[in-house]
Amino acid sequence: MDTYFGCTVENLRLGGHETYWRDLFSFLERHGYVLRPRYRPGWEPAWPPTPEIPFASTEDCIGLPIDATRVSDGKLVMMKAIPSASTELDICRYFSSESLRDDPRNRCIPLLEVLPHPNDPGVSIMVMPYLRNIDQPLFDTVEDILECGEQILDGLSFMHEHNVAHRDCAYRNVMMDVTAMYPSGFHPLHWRMLPDTVTPAPTLPRSSVPVTYYLIDFGISTRFSTHDPSKLVVGTKGLETTVPELSNTIPYDPFKTDVYILGALFRQEFLDKFSNVAMIAPLIASMTARDPAARPDAAAALEAWRLLRKQTPASYRQWRAKGRDESLLGSVFRDALLL
């Protein structure tokens, strides 16, 4: 069988999880959402590839995640099938409720709609905005990094004030809405391109438009009663495996765990990757203290972050974020481009 770029026609066909969504194509279309052509019933990968369009740019090469276009306004959305009785859906509904959804501090991913699965009464389909990882595209300036950190700390503090511990606020679960950065749109997976997957997408600087950061995926989150005298949990699940207190038998404070996880994220994605954000190092060290009692709570961490941001001169904040992997010559060249 012919092979192109390591692919064959067989391994381009839909996987099992993808066929699940293909079978929902017509149902979702009736409710105003259109999946990508790959999930249209009867779709077959084009084979062999043609020289006119780069093979890796075609829909044939693009699988998960499951995104869709909302017909009413062309908005990109994400779909997630979840048990109707799940805590995740309950928490997402809570933060999308009328009393909380418009609060500017609310950084929990909005729940746009919940659709009942047409064939499984125990499953609901969550419809949410299409978001991207916080480093897609990369941060432009020091101020971009400080803004991102402040928004996420503000969002975590907001969750905690409402007695919800996220418990998994690591890199994959902190995302951003980049709609304003792409005035002509973008392909959901080939995100540097327009929806045609061939034309480069015009992109505005992150610092020039409003970018909103969100906490997503409440799969292992815990919502406590306001009258619960002991807001402790057990469990070792989660993306951040370095949290020292995780235990299946010894209860621990999940709110302080959240602070650690977010501190680890800031260390991995900010401090370890950029050479001119050293001002955040002391706060990150306190957030990731081995002893949970030595860590600030989310509100105190937010206050400290805002203070260090305020104390950093405006001219410094507007300087580009310098990658630690830059060579001296490359750094000088990039700096010269800004002069």
Side-chain angles (χ1 to χ4, degrees), residues 25-158:
F25 187 96
S26 299
F27 167 79
L28 294 173
E29 190 173 39
R30 290 196 300 272
H31 284 80
Y33 302 99
V34 179
L35 299 175
R36 278 187 280 116
R38 179 177 175 86
Y39 302 108
R40 187 178 295 275
W43 171 88
E44 288 287 338
W47 197 266
T50 62
E52 289 79 15
I53 299 177
F55 179 60
S57 297
T58 67
E59 285 281 350
D60 297 352
C61 270
I62 308 171
L64 301 174
I66 299 300
D67 55 87
T69 300
R70 188 164 64 184
V71 176
S72 62
D73 57 4
K75 182 181 179 66
L76 273 176
V77 298
M78 292 293 296
M79 301 280 179
K80 185 174 184 178
I82 192 168
S84 301
S86 68
T87 300
E88 178 174 4
L89 181 56
D90 175 67
I91 290 175
C92 204
R93 275 181 163 144
Y94 172 65
F95 282 111
S96 293
S97 63
E98 187 174 357
S99 61
L100 297 181
R101 66 188 177 198
D102 294 327
D103 192 307
R105 297 183 59 207
N106 187 350
R107 296 283 181 250
C108 297
I109 186 170
L111 186 61
L112 303 177
E113 188 173 1
V114 179
L115 301 174
H117 194 287
N119 303 316
D120 188 343
V123 172
S124 294
I125 299 171
M126 300 169 65
V127 183
M128 299 165 286
Y130 185 89
L131 304 179
R132 288 237 293 263
N133 294 331
I134 60 173
D135 57 354
Q136 295 178 345
L138 297 175
F139 294 97
D140 293 319
T141 66
V142 171
E143 178 71 354
D144 292 340
I145 293 172
L146 295 177
E147 171 67 16
C148 174
E150 181 169 330
Q151 282 197 35
I152 296 304
L153 275 170
D154 201 12
L156 185 67
S157 179
F158 182 82

Side-chain angles (χ1 to χ4, degrees), residues 226-265:
T226 54
H227 305 296
D228 195 329
S230 176
K231 296 182 174 66
L232 302 177
V233 299
V234 293
T236 59
K237 293 181 179 179
L239 298 170
E240 181 54 61
T241 60
T242 67
V243 183
E245 65 264 25
L246 296 184
S247 171
N248 286 320
T249 58
I250 302 174
Y252 56 89
D253 181 349
F255 299 101
K256 288 298 186 73
T257 299
D258 278 352
V259 170
Y260 180 100
I261 296 171
L262 209 52
L265 167 66

